[in-house]
Amino acid sequence: MPWCPVCKSEYVEGKTHCPDCDADLVDELPPEQPEKEEVPTLTAEEAADIRARRAAASQAHTYTSAREKQSENRSSAWTFLIVGGVGLVVITLALLGVVKLPLNTFSLAVMEVIFVIFLIIAAQSFRKVMRLMDDITREDTLDEKVQTWMRENLAKEELLADVDADTTEELQYFMVSEEICRRLMLQFLEIEDAYADELTENYYNELFS
């Protein structure tokens, strides 16, 4: 039976032209093409909001590793030790009359006490540096364990399984990062939120950079 390719109307044998559409009839209609699914797009405001959230997330990492804490304490310890030691020697010499300073005895005594306090702070900082050695060892062991687990269980293809190919880079970042962090926190209940955020950020960059 002939068909009109425009209005899809069927005609009796012998008809060759559709009077309504002014089109020649065909023996059969071509197969219908599925409608192309419209890909959702972000508005300028939504894109700006996602960029702002991503920037805020990258700056929200407040985790400080034990190694960084040790470095900060070591630097402070040496600073207090040097300033306190030099200051104490100078003030002691001034009190003994070896060095002349434009200060009275009471002021010199007060400054000497301050420099002694500096030396006490230095000693406490050095002790904290030593205590942090155990924390560094535990942290390094946990970090190696977590990194190994992530590489074995968080494959790039699996993380992108639920992410549409047309998803924007910003939206992909949040979707994948959220999944990485969620699974990481479920597997390692002992890690801090800030530490998990840092691990997530680093692993995401490793996969997609």
Side-chain angles (χ1 to χ4, degrees), residues 8-26:
K8 307 295 191 297
S9 297
E10 183 181 10
Y11 287 87
V12 298
E13 291 290 349
K15 291 286 186 181
T16 60
H17 195 78
C18 177
D20 297 326
C21 304
D22 194 24
D24 291 333
L25 303 180
V26 296

Side-chain angles (χ1 to χ4, degrees), residues 16-203:
T16 60
H17 195 78
C18 177
D20 297 326
C21 304
D22 194 24
D24 291 333
L25 303 180
V26 296
D27 291 336
E28 58 182 36
L29 295 175
E32 292 186 2
Q33 298 294 328
E35 294 185 4
K36 187 177 180 180
E37 184 178 354
E38 184 178 354
V39 177
T41 57
L42 297 176
T43 65
E45 293 78 8
E46 290 172 333
D49 178 63
I50 289 177
R51 285 193 294 269
R53 289 167 57 194
R54 182 173 185 177
S58 64
Q59 297 174 1
H61 300 147
T62 57
Y63 177 75
T64 304
S65 67
R67 197 176 300 277
E68 291 173 328
K69 292 176 183 178
Q70 187 193 52
S71 177
E72 293 171 0
N73 278 274
R74 184 186 292 111
S75 177
S76 298
W78 279 110
T79 300
F80 279 108
L81 179 63
I82 293 172
V83 174
V86 173
L88 186 61
V89 170
V90 171
I91 295 302
T92 300
L93 292 175
L95 288 171
L96 295 175
V98 178
V99 176
K100 298 295 183 182
L101 293 177
L103 297 171
N104 57 35
T105 303
F106 177 76
S107 298
L108 291 172
V110 171
M111 292 188 66
E112 187 168 40
V113 171
I114 291 174
F115 287 125
V116 169
I117 294 174
F118 278 16
L119 293 177
I120 294 173
I121 295 175
Q124 292 174 339
S125 296
F126 277 118
R127 282 198 295 269
K128 191 170 184 179
V129 167
M130 298 305 297
R131 288 198 301 269
L132 283 169
M133 290 298 298
D134 292 336
D135 292 340
I136 291 175
T137 301
R138 286 194 296 269
E139 195 173 76
D140 288 346
T141 302
L142 176 61
D143 187 71
E144 182 178 353
K145 182 179 178 181
V146 171
Q147 295 290 346
T148 300
W149 179 85
M150 292 174 76
R151 292 189 179 97
E152 292 178 350
N153 296 275
L154 299 178
K156 182 177 181 179
E157 295 75 15
E158 182 185 357
L159 293 170
L160 291 175
D162 296 328
V163 179
D164 190 86
D166 298 304
T167 301
T168 62
E169 181 182 349
E170 291 86 355
L171 192 55
Q172 174 186 290
Y173 167 80
F174 280 105
M175 293 174 65
V176 174
S177 296
E178 183 178 353
E179 179 62 14
I180 293 174
C181 190
R182 183 187 69 82
R183 294 178 61 177
L184 187 62
M185 296 289 286
L186 287 175
Q187 180 67 25
F188 300 95
L189 302 177
E190 70 272 25
I191 65 175
E192 302 175 15
D193 291 350
Y195 184 32
D197 290 339
E198 181 174 292
L199 289 168
T200 297
E201 179 77 14
N202 292 340
Y203 189 64

